Amino acid sequence: MNLSSSSIDTDDIAAEALDAFDAGRQIAPFSGRRPGFDLALAYRAAACIRERRMARGELPVGRKIGFTNRTIWPEYGVWAPIWGDMFDSTARDLPASADGFTLGRFAEPRIEPEIVFGLAHAPAAGMDDAALLGCIDWVAHGFEIVQSIYPGWRFAAADSVAACGMHAALLIGPRHAVGDDEPRWLAALASFEIELSCDGVPVDRGRAANVLDGPLAALRHLEQALANEPLQPALAAGEIVTTGTLTRAFPIAAGQTWATALNGVPLDGIEVRFT
């Protein structure tokens, strides 16, 4: 670590980022005003944010993986996946369409259709797809709501890590047990397709391979990444992991209804109305 980066107060960065996150307030990216701010320091700040959130009563329930969809890397200028924590205050079941989901003070919120895993066992290094699937209790389709505390969604990868991984909420659809149907799930999770629509109008299509060649590959990447982060806990049984957007991420607003249709995987499409 160079001298400029070692002098950065990561707890100070954590406090500023969390305050902006809570208020839906936007700030200038740290990478543009903190010389030496890099991914290593950003993950240290993320660990500080996790401690602050736990101290105020939030319970970590899993991880989100971001920027696994390589087709959107040029749009954001981010060229590798990142990850962040999810909490009991942010991960919840998808609300009934009639009830909707309130966007509140999220800053420039966007929607991402994703595959979500519930872990029965902790993955280990070097596992192939079949072994990883054996660690999964259930599979669901969900919407991750992301937000940007940086104006115009302009930031470096390190900034996205320090901004709670851009995670605002995870809305989880019906959970489907893997059970004894592993061969079907293995094939489906590598090849399914999805269509995303807003107010009944299709806006984008995606496929499993967009997410680092499939959601199981994304889970493998996360296990490997966490092994190289000494301040971050390893994945554990009971955690929820959402594996990254299958389509582009789209701006959302109150009054809109977003829905998906899936083909080639034993999961139903989902729908949410924003208020």
Side-chain angles (χ1 to χ4, degrees):
M1 184 179 298
N2 60 40
L3 291 176
S4 60
S5 62
S6 65
S7 66
I8 294 177
D9 186 340
T10 51
D11 190 64
D12 178 59
I13 289 172
E16 183 180 356
L18 185 57
D19 179 68
F21 177 90
D22 288 340
R25 179 174 58 85
Q26 292 183 306
I27 59 177
F30 296 106
S31 59
R33 52 192 173 95
R34 298 270 190 154
F37 182 69
D38 58 13
L39 278 170
L41 288 165
Y43 280 115
R44 282 172 49 189
C48 292
I49 289 174
R50 183 176 62 247
E51 292 174 0
R52 285 173 173 268
R53 296 183 76 164
M54 292 176 64
R56 67 188 192 186
E58 294 181 81
L59 177 67
V61 297
R63 325 294 171 98
K64 64 79 50 89
I65 320 174
F67 300 113
T68 52
N69 189 331
R70 289 171 292 207
T71 70
I72 66 172
W73 286 357
E75 180 179 352
Y76 295 95
V78 174
W79 305 100
I82 60 98
W83 68 268
D85 294 296
M86 297 191 297
F87 295 84
D88 59 349
S89 56
T90 66
R92 65 202 74 181
D93 289 336
L94 188 73
S97 181
D99 298 331
F101 178 77
T102 301
L103 292 173
R105 294 180 294 183
F106 295 153
E108 294 189 54
R110 297 186 177 190
I111 191 169
E112 299 184 343
E114 310 200 359
I115 296 297
V116 185
F117 295 140
L119 299 183
H121 311 286
M127 282 185 166
D128 62 15
D129 282 3
L132 284 172
L133 187 63
C135 295
I136 295 170
D137 181 26
W138 53 263
V139 182
H141 175 34
F143 286 131
E144 186 182 13
I145 311 304
V146 290
Q147 68 168 336
S148 177
I149 63 172
Y150 312 112
W153 281 82
R154 300 300 179 190
F155 47 79
D159 296 307
S160 69
V161 170
C164 302
M166 318 302 282
H167 173 74
L170 177 66
L171 309 178
I172 307 169
R175 296 161 170 79
H176 296 258
V178 173
D180 296 327
D181 206 9
E182 292 187 2
R184 184 184 183 195
W185 281 110
L186 277 173
L189 288 170
S191 60
F192 73 89
E193 297 181 343
I194 184 172
E195 180 179 84
L196 177 67
S197 64
C198 176
D199 295 331
V201 179
V203 296
D204 202 10
R205 296 185 64 86
R207 56 194 180 97
N210 285 353
V211 182
L212 294 183
D213 300 323
L216 289 170
L219 178 61
R220 180 184 299 107
H221 173 88
L222 177 61
E223 186 280 325
Q224 294 170 345
L226 291 172
N228 295 320
E229 291 291 341
L231 295 180
Q232 314 304 335
L235 290 170
E239 284 200 56
I240 297 169
V241 176
T242 191
T243 54
T245 188
L246 296 155
T247 68
R248 289 175 291 154
F250 288 88
I252 51 178
Q256 294 176 336
T257 297
W258 288 78
T260 59
L262 292 92
N263 181 42
V265 66
L267 297 169
D268 295 328
I270 55 176
E271 179 178 297
V272 63
R273 181 177 63 87
F274 292 112
T275 61

